[in-house]
Amino acid sequence: MSRILVLLDRHQQPLPIQCLNSKHEVFALDSATSANSPVEMGNIPFDLCILDKSNFDRISSLVATLKTASAPVFLPFLLVSKGINSADTDSPFLLTPEQLEGRIDDLLLSPFPPTELHFRVENLLARRQLSLELHNIQEVVQKRNLAENVLTASLQASNENLQREIYKRVEVEATLRSNSYLDSLMNAMPDIVCFKDAEGRWQEANPAILELFELCRDEYRGLKDSQLGELSTFYREALAACEVSDREAWHKGSVSRGEEVIP
């Protein structure tokens, strides 16, 4: 149901409302004849306003404000006025196109047949309905685009995370392969090889040095020479000497060469 607001002065010829479609709700405001009397319509919902020239003169700025507030939805205003050739020449139609632009969407000059009023009203209401439907479609499209943008951003972030994980996995696999090559080399070397951290804790050792000090593969990692001496008491002094030479090498900060006697 469409709501039609009628603003006509009391002395205006009655509008043939009976010709309008019965599905529309037509209501009128009690406007006074004084040109300075305000018309309270800012908070009244309506789909079409039919007004005469005197009311238009009074609220033309309000009409522009209401149309701007309603945009982009079309809010129509139909101006009903006396024609220049009307029998009543007290107030002929003297408005210019510039005065109507952006405010009045259709103009009906009296006298006019009731069917003409019906046609103009239905045309304006149809335009408003199309405008509302278009606006609703645009809102749906905007919400859908927003949802798609959010989904796209989420997928992009997931893809970036996946790429980082793949890159890390490739690096880990490359490191593992490198370590595998190093392990193979260390295990094949007849010379003793041992990797320690800055604190002198054993990290990796090849079978040659483990066999020399009679150490098990599962117990040496993370222990210092002095601690390993408790596990292999026969080589305690030799391991303690290794710890001393390691501290000297770290303190020197360069390549250190020496000879150690291991019984």
Side-chain angles (χ1 to χ4, degrees):
M1 175 183 291
S2 299
R3 290 170 55 85
I4 301 176
L5 173 62
V6 178
L7 294 177
L8 298 177
D9 284 340
R10 294 190 182 97
H11 301 296
Q12 174 72 28
Q13 182 179 356
L15 196 68
I17 296 176
Q18 66 280 1
C19 72
L20 300 179
N21 195 318
S22 60
K23 67 181 179 181
H24 303 316
E25 178 185 356
V26 181
F27 61 101
L29 293 182
D30 184 17
S31 58
T33 57
S34 172
N36 297 323
S37 299
V39 178
E40 299 295 336
M41 58 180 293
N43 297 323
I44 301 175
F46 61 90
D47 299 292
L48 167 64
C49 178
I50 303 175
L51 70 168
D52 56 18
K53 181 180 179 301
S54 59
N55 277 292
F56 176 72
D57 291 340
R58 234 177 308 182
I59 64 168
S60 60
S61 59
L62 177 58
V63 170
T65 300
L66 292 175
K67 291 181 75 68
T68 300
S70 180
V73 176
F74 176 59
L75 183 61
F77 284 80
L78 172 60
L79 179 62
V80 177
S81 181
K82 299 174 183 178
I84 297 178
N85 296 326
S86 174
D88 185 2
T89 59
D90 292 339
S91 180
F93 184 75
L94 299 176
L95 294 175
T96 64
E98 289 75 16
Q99 293 174 294
L100 302 178
E101 184 177 4
R103 294 176 172 83
I104 298 301
D105 302 289
D106 203 353
L107 173 64
L108 196 56
L109 298 177
S110 61
F112 53 83
T115 53
E116 183 66 18
L117 174 64
H118 172 81
F119 173 78
R120 301 290 185 90
V121 167
E122 293 302 319
N123 178 60
L124 290 172
L125 290 176
R127 289 174 58 189
R128 175 169 172 79
Q129 182 61 32
L130 288 175
S131 174
L132 285 168
E133 293 175 359
L134 179 59
H135 179 65
N136 291 336
I137 292 174
Q138 289 174 338
E139 286 189 334
V140 171
V141 171
Q142 289 176 355
K143 291 179 180 178
R144 183 174 299 174
N145 289 339
L146 178 60
E148 290 178 353
N149 291 338
V150 171
L151 179 59
T152 300
S154 177
L155 291 175
Q156 184 175 357
S158 299
N159 183 62
E160 292 175 354
N161 291 334
L162 180 59
Q163 292 294 333
R164 284 193 291 267
E165 291 298 324
I166 292 175
Y167 180 75
K168 290 180 181 178
R169 179 169 297 182
V170 170
E171 284 188 326
V172 170
E173 291 177 352
T175 302
L176 290 175
R177 285 195 299 270
S178 176
N179 291 341
S180 177
Y181 300 148
L182 181 60
D183 289 342
S184 299
L185 178 61
M186 286 176 57
N187 293 335
M189 290 178 63
D191 299 325
I192 62 174
V193 179
C194 177
F195 290 100
K196 302 177 183 179
D197 64 13
E199 302 297 327
R201 292 185 288 262
W202 285 38
Q203 303 299 312
E204 293 291 339
N206 69 343
I209 194 171
L210 295 178
E211 182 179 351
L212 175 65
F213 287 115
E214 298 179 354
L215 297 171
C216 296
R217 177 170 291 277
D218 299 331
E219 61 184 6
Y220 72 87
R221 287 187 175 85
L223 299 180
K224 296 183 178 181
D225 293 293
S226 57
Q227 294 171 317
L228 292 173
E230 301 299 324
L231 300 177
S232 181
T233 56
F234 181 79
Y235 296 98
R236 180 181 299 167
E237 292 183 2
L239 289 167
C242 291
E243 189 168 313
V244 173
S245 63
D246 288 346
R247 284 199 298 267
E248 291 176 352
W250 277 106
H251 179 73
K252 185 179 180 181
S254 60
V255 177
S256 177
R257 293 182 176 87
E259 292 184 4
E260 296 179 6
V261 178
I262 300 175

